[in-house]
Amino acid sequence: MHDLLLRGGTVYDGLGGPGVVADVAITGDRVSAVGADLGPARREIDVTGLAVAPGFIDAHSHSDPVPLMPQPQPFKLHQGVTTEIVGNCGFSFAPLDAAAIEATGPLFAELAGGVPVVPRDFAGYLDDIAATGPTNHIAAMVGHNTLRAYANGMDERLRPGALEQMCRLADEAFAAGAVGLSSGLIYPPGSYGDTAELIALARVAHRWNRPYTTHMRNEDDRLGEALDEAITIATQARVRLQISHCKVAGKANHGGGKALLAKLHAARLAGVDVRGDQYPYRAGGTFLNALLPGAALVGGTEAMRARLADPAERARLRALAEDVTQPNGFWARVTPADVFVTTHTTRPEVTGRTLAELAGTADAFDTLCEVLLGDPGAGMVVTMMAEDDVETIMADPLIGIGSDNGPPVGLQHPRTWGCFPRVLGEYVRERGLLTLPEAVRKMTSAIADQFGLTGRGFVDAGAVADLVVFDPATIGHDGTYAVPDVRPTGVEHVVLAGHVVVESGRFTGERRGLVLRG
Ligand SMILES: [Zn+2]
């Protein structure tokens, strides 16, 4: 007898196959059969008219601290996501010691969503989240920024022995189960690292057969060079490569989506196993200080504060920021009206407003500096992409889906609550840009393959029973930048390793997620 039978749904296998009306039987944590007349089950759910798919795998999550929050957080389950890949953009929550936490200061606090950032090695981090029990499965990468902060603080130049220490720490993280190595090359201290440093670390990933994922050094004027660097690192270290949140930023570069994809395809033909991920929005979200040139953050956020408070230093940073010939932060590539402040620890009244609104008739750069003096780790949503490029990139088979979410507290980019339903509602149903089988593949097997999550990302006998049941006619997300934390529509049931954790759209309250070790 099966434990559970999902009866009468249209099954999408996650491999891109067409929808097929079939029952899905589950025994223990596995799918035991797919087909007709599968025999009795202890429990049946009628899913006639609904889609049954592998649980979605979020390629690009920043939910590292979320499992440690006091209350279970079902914001990803409500999107049909059963596994998140965390540790992205170079920021993993381990290994960290007290000195690294002190040096990085508000940068981690912004990502932490109120969870204390404490010293841990990578194995300790995985043990801690496993002990608390995440609401969905978590697979964690180790981040270059974190490794560098640990070994070298916020210094630009590497101290003697620092790279060797970073490689040792990465090796320990892979031994503990890290599923990949990530970089975030616009964020200090990772941005101070050169190509050779990243090749050395990626070679450690190669020894463990883990991929290298990168928030590249540039996503606007120097996108091509940044792609070349990522491909060089993957070629030299012989690792799989994942280009994070593929985009073309900055008005002057709009229309560059095809060129980005051409580079990925050329690299693939040359033997690099490269893919990318994307969130379905024109706006990104990150630290407000990413508007400033990298020179602003040398030495850490206290050093940045001191520079912003000094009129001569502020003038020097302004000149760098306004120089469009240099890859110096986003400032010269957006207008103050494009910048929407989402988080601020000491002046909550600035959140929910654009920099243009906050400045009024005052100088917008000075306003930015004043806001950052109050909270160097403040967050923003910043509109910088063209819809044509979003669609061009999404239509390519090498591109999967990743939300790039923040912690599900306060004002965040709506991708945190609605990324996956938005793809299925807006880009599949409303625009017809993708077929449903192809969109499901981009959210499941395409990601599982890249991160080595065997047994997941497809529906067939023997696969892990991580499943989502949704209504293709109603799935979607109505969240906006002003009111983002809205529950998606159309996600009916979610099964996590055989347990029904969302039933008729309601979270059961259980923490059934597992830590998936590489
Ligand atoms: Zn990123």
Side-chain angles (χ1 to χ4, degrees):
M1 171 140 13
H2 306 294
D3 289 332
L4 175 64
L5 193 70
L6 303 176
R7 185 181 287 282
T10 301
V11 178
Y12 294 86
D13 64 8
L15 303 170
V20 174
V21 174
D23 300 342
V24 177
I26 294 150
T27 303
D29 67 349
R30 299 276 162 167
V31 172
S32 40
V34 180
D37 304 322
L38 301 181
R42 286 184 184 83
R43 183 175 174 201
E44 276 190 29
I45 302 178
D46 181 4
V47 296
T48 304
L50 301 174
V52 179
F56 304 144
I57 302 174
D58 189 341
H60 193 95
S61 166
H62 289 290
S63 290
D64 308 65
V66 170
L68 301 169
M69 293 171 81
Q71 298 300 318
Q73 302 292 330
F75 67 116
K76 287 289 176 71
L77 289 178
H78 283 311
Q79 300 182 48
V81 171
T82 51
T83 299
E84 295 176 275
I85 313 287
V86 304
N88 275 288
C89 298
F91 290 105
S92 52
F93 272 58
L96 285 170
D97 62 2
I101 293 166
E102 170 76 24
T104 51
L107 298 184
F108 273 96
E110 156 71 17
L111 291 167
V115 171
V117 183
V118 300
R120 289 188 186 92
D121 61 13
F122 204 86
Y125 166 73
L126 293 183
D127 288 346
D128 282 356
I129 60 171
T132 321
T135 53
N136 47 255
H137 307 314
I138 299 283
M141 293 191 289
V142 64
H144 169 234
N145 289 55
T146 301
L147 294 169
R148 206 179 204 272
Y150 193 115
N152 204 62
M154 292 296 281
D155 290 358
E156 267 188 288
R157 288 179 58 132
L158 283 180
R159 303 164 191 163
L163 182 56
E164 291 73 13
Q165 190 185 7
M166 288 162 70
C167 289
R168 227 173 16 250
L169 292 165
D171 193 64
E172 282 174 25
F174 293 128
V179 298
L181 167 73
S182 79
S183 70
L185 299 177
I186 70 161
Y187 303 114
S191 56
Y192 307 143
D194 63 12
T195 307
E197 176 178 325
L198 290 152
I199 290 170
L201 281 165
R203 285 195 165 126
V204 182
H206 165 78
R207 292 208 297 273
W208 291 88
N209 190 26
R210 310 281 155 84
Y212 168 62
T213 78
T214 180
H215 176 159
M216 296 182 293
R217 211 175 283 278
N218 190 281
E219 296 179 323
D220 47 69
D221 302 8
R222 298 189 177 195
L223 174 62
E225 286 167 57
L227 281 161
D228 289 342
E229 182 188 31
I231 290 162
T232 298
I233 292 162
T235 304
Q236 299 277 320
R238 289 183 289 141
V239 286
R240 297 192 298 286
L241 172 63
Q242 179 84 358
I243 305 293
S244 297
H245 42 57
C246 291
K247 66 169 78 75
V248 182
K251 283 192 178 57
N253 309 301
H254 287 170
K258 287 194 182 68
L260 180 155
L261 295 169
K263 277 208 186 275
L264 298 192
H265 285 265
R268 243 189 131 66
L269 287 172
V272 179
D273 188 354
V274 58
R275 304 186 194 210
D277 52 72
Q278 179 194 31
Y279 48 80
Y281 302 87
R282 288 182 54 227
T286 187
F287 300 112
L288 188 62
N289 66 38
L291 293 168
L292 294 179
L297 264 100
V298 174
T301 49
E302 279 315 305
M304 179 183 90
R305 258 196 177 121
R307 288 186 190 104
L308 296 181
D310 174 350
E313 276 295 302
R314 188 186 288 195
R316 182 179 74 90
L317 292 175
R318 179 199 292 267
L320 282 172
E322 289 176 350
D323 182 354
V324 289
T325 67
Q326 295 299 314
N328 275 328
F330 298 149
W331 181 252
R333 288 153 189 96
V334 298
T335 67
D338 295 331
V339 179
F340 185 76
V341 180
T342 50
T343 60
H344 197 285
T345 51
T346 61
R347 289 173 60 199
E349 74 277 8
V350 304
T351 64
R353 304 178 68 192
T354 68
L355 211 49
E357 288 166 354
L358 291 169
T361 55
D363 178 83
F365 190 81
D366 281 332
T367 303
L368 168 67
C369 294
E370 295 304 322
V371 171
L372 284 171
L373 280 169
D375 178 7
M380 67 172 166
V381 161
V382 56
T383 302
M384 51 190 175
M385 284 89 92
E387 191 59 46
D388 277 359
D389 285 327
V390 173
E391 289 196 352
T392 299
I393 291 168
M394 192 182 293
D396 192 277
L398 290 182
I399 305 298
I401 305 299
S403 71
D404 204 5
N405 67 287
V409 289
L411 199 55
Q412 299 281 345
H413 193 298
R415 63 195 179 188
T416 296
W417 292 275
C419 169
F420 290 79
R422 177 171 162 81
V423 171
L424 296 171
E426 183 64 29
Y427 292 88
V428 175
R429 184 181 63 244
E430 299 302 327
R431 303 192 198 180
L433 181 75
L434 300 173
T435 65
L436 189 50
E438 172 64 356
V440 169
R441 185 191 68 80
K442 284 169 173 285
M443 299 173 175
T444 55
S445 67
I447 314 301
D449 289 352
Q450 182 70 309
F451 291 94
L453 305 178
T454 50
R456 292 170 205 273
F458 63 100
V459 181
D460 202 354
V464 176
D466 292 341
L467 299 163
V468 55
V469 179
F470 63 94
D471 185 348
T474 61
I475 193 163
H477 187 236
D478 293 331
T480 62
Y481 295 111
V483 187
D485 55 340
V486 174
R487 170 104 46 101
T489 51
V491 178
E492 294 296 320
H493 313 294
V494 179
V495 179
L496 196 66
H499 302 280
V500 179
V501 290
V502 171
E503 189 172 354
S504 303
R506 294 232 319 274
F507 174 52
T508 61
E510 294 174 274
R511 291 180 182 254
R512 290 287 188 179
L514 303 171
V515 172
L516 308 182
R517 290 176 165 86

